[in-house]
Amino acid sequence: ESYDDQNIYKNDIIVFNKNNIQTIHRVVDIVNNNGEIRYYTKGDSNIKMDEGYITRKNIIGVYKIKIKYVGYPSIWMRDIFNA
């Protein structure tokens, strides 16, 4: 689902752009830092959390239903046509 400033909660799966790379990871922590909401993420298969944090401006989409590997082809196609 496209991100349209809807609420994001801990354990939601989001699609975000960081350093010009689109990533699909789970939100593992949310911190309000002086009014800036920071989302900390981690891939389900990763041992460690991702470095840094994500803000609302980085979020592209929110996964509402998790089907293993279903998102990869759409991201690959978007990368191919946006290159």
Side-chain angles (χ1 to χ4, degrees):
E1 178 177 313
S2 292
Y3 180 65
D4 190 24
D5 209 30
Q6 63 265 48
N7 290 329
I8 305 266
Y9 301 99
K10 193 172 179 178
N11 290 317
D12 281 355
I13 297 171
I14 60 173
V15 181
F16 58 90
N17 189 353
K18 187 173 181 183
N19 301 323
N20 292 319
I21 298 172
Q22 291 182 356
T23 307
I24 304 169
H25 280 175
R26 186 177 304 276
V27 175
V28 293
D29 198 13
I30 302 172
V31 175
N32 185 334
N33 185 14
N34 295 322
E36 178 185 60
I37 305 298
R38 296 179 176 182
Y39 301 96
Y40 294 86
T41 58
K42 177 184 163 300
D44 287 350
S45 297
N46 297 347
I47 296 171
K48 297 180 182 178
M49 279 184 14
D50 299 335
E51 286 189 31
Y53 57 88
I54 303 301
T55 61
R56 291 181 185 264
K57 68 180 181 179
N58 302 106
I59 300 172
I60 299 167
V62 180
Y63 270 61
K64 293 297 178 184
I65 299 173
K66 183 179 177 185
I67 302 172
K68 197 170 187 172
Y69 307 116
V70 74
Y72 291 116
S74 63
I75 289 177
W76 295 330
M77 293 302 288
R78 189 179 311 156
D79 286 344
I80 289 169
F81 290 108
N82 287 333

